[in-house]
Amino acid sequence: QVQLVESGGGLVQPGGSLRLSCAVSSRLFSTYAMGWYRQAPGKQRDLVASISRDGSTNYADSVKGRFTISRDNAKKLMYLEMNSLKPEETAVYSCNRVPPTWSWGQGTQVTVSS
């Protein structure tokens, strides 16, 4: 069973920045396309950003130019750098494969509020 552990969330003011981390227990991490997802209360979980095994990236239109996804295959880690955060981006952020086939981790709460 692959374990996903997200961290780095917290309370940030509008316009602020956060860097999220995702630790993956799978030894085959480097072979998978990965993504960051977010789910706001009462809403569906959406894919925010994805990164292929060779490092190619894709972003939801709403975060282009503000979020950056990256990965460190040697450490089995994935990151999401988030800048210019908006209140409507308050959500639980989670990582998984793209498409998501593993059981979800606990996620990390991001709250954007003044």
Side-chain angles (χ1 to χ4, degrees):
Q1 180 77 357
V2 174
Q3 291 189 326
L4 303 168
V5 180
E6 301 92 345
S7 61
L11 173 63
V12 63
Q13 292 187 343
S17 299
L18 282 174
R19 188 192 194 208
L20 308 183
S21 298
C22 167
V24 181
S25 66
S26 173
R27 62 182 178 86
L28 298 177
F29 171 74
S30 65
T31 68
Y32 298 130
M34 295 291 299
W36 281 99
Y37 301 78
R38 67 185 178 193
Q39 186 171 27
K43 296 188 176 181
Q44 68 179 19
R45 184 183 279 123
D46 292 324
L47 179 64
V48 173
S50 64
I51 185 166
S52 70
R53 58 184 182 180
D54 65 359
S56 300
T57 59
N58 280 288
Y59 300 92
D61 287 343
S62 61
V63 307
K64 281 181 181 177
R66 298 186 298 116
F67 288 15
T68 303
I69 188 172
S70 60
R71 67 191 296 166
D72 184 334
N73 287 334
K75 296 182 179 179
K76 296 188 293 182
L77 292 171
M78 184 174 67
Y79 306 99
L80 186 67
E81 184 78 33
M82 306 186 295
N83 298 311
S84 302
L85 282 161
K86 305 174 182 179
E88 57 265 36
E89 294 179 312
T90 293
V92 175
Y93 286 70
S94 302
C95 59
N96 210 312
R97 293 177 63 179
V98 178
T101 57
W102 292 326
S103 295
W104 295 95
Q106 83 286 354
T108 187
Q109 176 70 47
V110 172
T111 302
V112 186
S113 175
S114 56

